[in-house]
Amino acid sequence: MSKKMTRTMIDTEEIKGVSLWADAFRRLLKNKLAVFGAIIIIFFTLVAIFADLIAPYPYDYINFESNEQFAKPSSKYPFGTDEQGRDMFSRVIYGSRISLSVGIVTALVALIIGVTYGAISGFAPSKVDELMMRIVDILYGIPYMFFVILLMVAFGRKDYMLFIGIGAVSWMTIARITRGQILTLRNNEYIEAAKSIGVSKGRLIFRHLIPNAIGPIIVYLTLTIPSIMLQEAFLSFLGLGIQPPKASWGSLATFGGTLGAIQNYPHLIIFPGLALALTLFGMNAFGEGLRDALDPSLKNRI
Amino acid sequence: MLKFIVRRFFSSIITIFVIITVAYFLIRAVPGDPFSSEKNMPKEIRENLNRKFHLDQPLYKQYFMYLNNLVFHFDFGPSFRSRGFSVNDLIKQYFPVSLLIGSLAMIIAVILGVSFGMISALNQNKFGDYFFMSYAILGISVPMFVIVPIFLLIFSIGLKILPVGGWKRASDVGIIGMIPYLIIPIFSLSLPYTAYITRMTKAGMMDIIRKDFVTTARAKGLKNSTILFRHIMKGSIIPVVSYVGPAFAGIVTGSVVVEQILGIPGMGRVFVQAAFNRDYSLVMGDVITYSLLIIVMNFVVDILYGFLDPRVKYS
């Protein structure tokens, strides 16, 4: 060992230790795109929380006094009005509530299923593990979006079916990541130590393994939320998701997404569409920034 | 290698079987039958229809009958809604349209994505890099039902250089005449996948540029273009190949929205209509056709991947 290196080591010891998360946070703040993404997320979250205070009208308010269908954007209706004369500005504001909550709740459903399945698989004997992963492989081959459509048709277009349907098809990647993490962690010495003092299997998984495997899972989760929101928007746009008069950004675009409406009333699709695109951009930018920050060696990878 | 192909083949078969079974019982769990919306139908006619479509038989018998017809005769049965048409007829009519749009979109996505990714990697931290990397995040964030109207607003309604949606058959207007109708669907469909492939190519190139064999090639005094195309490109394209399978599945799903908005008579549009109409047999036929397509695609890609990347060990 050279002199220089020894000195570096001593120097390092004098510096105050930084935790993994604090270090990641510092790197995250340096990433302009990620910070921009975080600002967008905070903005739309606040809009969703305070929708009642911001929106000039209730989301289902129709002004029967005057006939104001398809009004162009104006100072009275900044985003114009829809086919029923409802204020699009208010509807886009309330839409943020449903779009964001579908994304978050469904991602949590996917997280719970995925982590449990992946952890059990990673911890089970290799025969069981192999079988469980084979099942995931087979499920992966299924064009699941069509199954979610079938599910929505079969069981009525209920909001909770949307959570279950999309959640039930989004857990598989989380399961794979969790399993991978567990497999690398399970041979660590502290696991041996825990085993040797007779810690139960359940406690071992949930107290020791999962907390240590959580980094990549959180990163994937932040990237799952926008992809789930995109799927909800896809279904709602086709008329199979959120049902009127309730509004998500996807369902708001349904009427505006016809050829006639695009030609005559482009504001019907532009405003909800941009709100959704901006939010998803923010989430993707933030999620990727978070990934780079937590594990710089993964930078530039998919 | 052979062992891998055989095993992969069997797992594909199981996947298809699972798909058929789940789809069959799921769609039969739908309350109401295909004729329930026709309220004034006399009881006798309904019973006759039920008998004709074997709906009066026990469910498991219907299932085995369906499976039998499908596996041994490639017969999806009659459509419950478009009377007089078999599902096979309908699929034969609509599927080529979707397949044409989908494959062209895939080709465009690969060509543009690989080029953008290379430009990005070669101009690291310069304008081109930032431009394409922003595009890469934007591309996966903008939903298809926003991309298509934006294209329409710019090129059809604003500049008036492309038709506002619609579709013409090659038999009516010739292949050249079809092109204006193809541009918007193809480019909107390929946009998100171009974005993904751009990122993958860039990531792959960044990895390989630093490898020793590239330094060696430079040291030998090879031309930059030779190094790029002979040494770097090959390695960086391999991950893209593995992505073609999943991308194809996504393009197929995306084409539902594109066809719906632009009024293109393809499988996606038919699928949504069939789902709304509870046309059991047509929905089943669509799901199975899509699944087959995606599974075959994944199968081919996996094998191709092995040929391209000798490091991949099939175990």
Side-chain angles (χ1 to χ4, degrees):
Chain A
M1 199 180 282
S2 74
K3 221 175 195 175
K4 197 180 164 200
M5 232 172 145
T6 328
R7 196 181 302 136
T8 327
M9 283 182 73
I10 295 165
D11 282 350
T12 329
E13 275 171 350
E14 287 164 4
I15 297 169
K16 198 170 150 257
V18 187
S19 81
L20 173 76
W21 289 96
D23 192 34
F25 187 66
R26 194 178 47 84
R27 269 197 296 265
L28 190 64
L29 283 182
K30 272 192 197 159
N31 184 336
K32 288 195 194 83
L33 207 57
V35 173
F36 179 60
I39 292 170
I40 294 175
I41 297 171
I42 292 168
F43 173 77
F44 278 104
T45 310
L46 291 176
V47 166
I49 293 172
F50 298 108
D52 296 313
L53 301 174
I54 308 166
Y57 304 94
Y59 65 91
D60 53 356
Y61 175 75
I62 301 173
N63 186 354
F64 290 106
E65 309 281 294
S66 60
N67 195 6
E68 291 183 299
Q69 287 140 302
F70 301 120
K72 291 260 176 312
S74 63
S75 55
K76 189 177 177 199
Y77 301 116
F79 292 178
T81 62
D82 69 0
E83 74 278 8
Q84 308 234 30
R86 291 174 293 208
D87 176 36
M88 277 302 272
F89 184 59
S90 306
R91 283 178 72 69
V92 170
I93 287 171
Y94 278 103
S96 66
R97 269 193 183 171
I98 293 185
S99 288
L100 287 173
S101 57
V102 169
I104 293 165
V105 173
T106 313
L108 288 180
V109 172
L111 179 77
I112 292 166
I113 304 175
V115 167
T116 313
Y117 191 96
I120 293 173
S121 180
F123 213 64
S126 65
K127 280 264 162 62
V128 181
D129 174 38
E130 196 173 318
L131 180 73
M132 285 177 83
M133 281 300 119
R134 274 257 154 268
I135 293 173
V136 170
D137 285 346
I138 287 172
L139 292 178
Y140 246 94
I142 294 176
Y144 56 82
M145 216 51 223
F146 298 105
F147 277 87
V148 179
I149 292 179
L150 279 188
L151 215 60
M152 292 304 284
V153 173
F155 297 106
R157 294 157 215 161
K158 310 260 169 40
D159 295 358
Y160 63 88
M161 280 314 296
L162 203 60
F163 298 134
I164 298 173
I166 303 179
V169 296
S170 307
W171 59 270
M172 288 175 280
T173 310
I174 296 182
R176 277 188 176 173
I177 294 174
T178 310
R179 171 182 171 268
Q181 286 286 100
I182 300 278
L183 283 186
T184 30
L185 289 176
R186 65 187 271 186
N187 293 327
N188 279 1
E189 276 147 8
Y190 65 88
I191 302 293
E192 288 290 311
K195 268 189 197 160
S196 69
I197 57 167
V199 171
S200 73
K201 267 203 169 152
R203 194 177 154 79
L204 204 59
I205 292 176
F206 288 100
R207 183 84 187 89
H208 293 278
L209 283 170
I210 290 179
N212 283 298
I214 206 84
I217 297 169
I218 286 180
V219 168
Y220 187 74
L221 191 68
T222 59
L223 293 169
T224 302
I225 295 173
S227 102
I228 286 173
M229 285 176 67
L230 202 58
Q231 289 168 26
E232 179 272 322
F234 168 80
L235 288 169
S236 296
F237 174 76
L238 293 175
L240 293 162
I242 300 293
Q243 297 297 309
K246 268 186 280 178
S248 79
W249 287 330
S251 73
L252 281 176
T254 306
F255 191 87
T258 52
L259 279 178
I262 295 168
Q263 279 168 288
N264 300 310
Y265 321 111
H267 64 269
L268 288 183
I269 195 148
I270 292 297
F271 291 112
L274 283 186
L276 179 60
L278 201 59
T279 309
L280 297 182
F281 180 79
M283 286 178 166
N284 283 324
F286 178 75
E288 278 172 23
L290 191 65
R291 179 194 52 198
D292 294 348
L294 274 177
D295 190 350
S297 70
L298 283 178
K299 204 169 178 186
N300 285 326
R301 279 173 206 267
I302 299 301
Chain B
M1 181 72 189
L2 189 71
K3 206 176 143 202
F4 168 78
I5 294 177
V6 171
R7 231 181 65 171
R8 192 68 185 67
F9 180 75
F10 278 111
S11 86
S12 300
I13 297 280
I14 294 173
T15 311
I16 291 169
F17 179 74
V18 169
I19 288 170
I20 296 174
T21 308
V22 173
Y24 191 85
F25 289 103
L26 196 59
I27 196 111
R28 295 311 299 271
V30 179
D33 60 51
F35 316 115
S36 59
S37 58
E38 296 171 41
K39 295 215 170 58
N40 299 322
M41 187 183 278
K43 207 176 154 224
E44 291 76 17
I45 295 183
R46 169 169 297 204
E47 278 171 3
N48 272 335
L49 278 171
N50 280 346
R51 198 166 311 128
K52 186 184 165 205
F53 293 119
H54 307 293
L55 294 177
D56 54 343
Q57 307 261 351
L59 191 59
Y60 76 92
K61 263 193 183 161
Q62 294 183 42
Y63 169 68
F64 283 116
M65 254 153 51
Y66 187 83
L67 216 54
N68 181 44
N69 283 338
L70 186 63
V71 175
F72 296 108
H73 309 286
F74 293 110
D75 183 8
F76 288 114
S79 163
F80 285 180
R81 275 299 166 131
S82 313
R83 307 262 161 83
F85 284 97
S86 74
V87 173
N88 290 43
D89 292 338
L90 293 171
I91 290 176
K92 252 181 240 158
Q93 190 184 337
Y94 297 117
F95 186 60
V97 175
S98 300
L99 190 65
L100 176 72
I101 297 175
S103 343
L104 289 176
M106 190 77 240
I107 294 168
I108 299 274
V110 171
I111 295 174
L112 290 185
V114 170
S115 322
F116 292 171
M118 282 172 62
I119 296 172
S120 203
L122 296 177
N123 297 290
Q124 226 206 329
N125 296 328
K126 288 189 199 148
F127 175 75
D129 185 26
Y130 289 125
F131 179 81
F132 285 122
M133 284 300 114
S134 311
Y135 162 74
I137 298 184
L138 202 62
I140 58 167
S141 305
V142 184
M144 196 55 72
F145 62 78
V146 178
I147 299 173
V148 179
I150 288 176
F151 272 117
L152 279 172
L153 284 170
I154 296 173
F155 296 104
S156 309
I157 297 164
L159 300 172
K160 296 192 199 308
I161 47 174
L162 290 172
V164 188
W167 184 252
K168 290 274 191 289
R169 293 190 176 278
S171 52
D172 298 331
V173 291
I175 290 174
I176 304 288
M178 277 177 86
I179 293 175
Y181 295 90
L182 281 170
I183 292 178
I184 290 182
I186 291 172
F187 278 91
S188 357
L189 256 184
S190 64
L191 205 90
Y193 303 97
T194 311
Y196 269 115
I197 295 174
T198 302
R199 293 147 54 90
M200 297 187 79
T201 311
K202 186 195 168 187
M205 281 191 65
M206 301 298 295
D207 243 17
I208 292 184
I209 282 177
R210 294 193 204 101
K211 287 268 155 72
D212 288 344
F213 69 85
V214 176
T215 316
T216 314
R218 282 224 175 86
K220 286 198 303 194
L222 292 180
K223 271 191 300 185
N224 269 337
S225 58
T226 317
I227 299 174
L228 182 61
F229 290 105
R230 287 277 298 280
H231 297 261
I232 298 176
M233 209 170 134
K234 198 182 158 208
S236 48
I237 281 183
I238 289 174
V240 176
V241 173
S242 71
Y243 178 64
V244 167
F248 205 74
I251 280 187
V252 162
T253 318
S255 79
V256 174
V257 171
V258 174
E259 290 171 15
Q260 185 84 358
I261 296 179
L262 295 171
I264 295 170
M267 282 270 284
R269 195 150 165 263
V270 170
F271 176 73
V272 174
Q273 282 166 2
F276 273 109
N277 291 335
R278 294 188 183 143
D279 192 337
Y280 297 157
S281 47
L282 185 52
V283 169
M284 284 289 297
D286 277 9
V287 170
I288 295 168
T289 314
Y290 277 137
S291 311
L292 266 177
L293 187 70
I294 292 165
I295 287 165
V296 169
M297 204 62 199
N298 280 327
F299 183 60
V300 172
V301 161
D302 274 7
I303 291 169
L304 204 64
Y305 193 74
F307 278 115
L308 282 176
D309 190 349
R311 286 170 304 181
V312 176
K313 289 231 167 51
Y314 294 111
S315 54

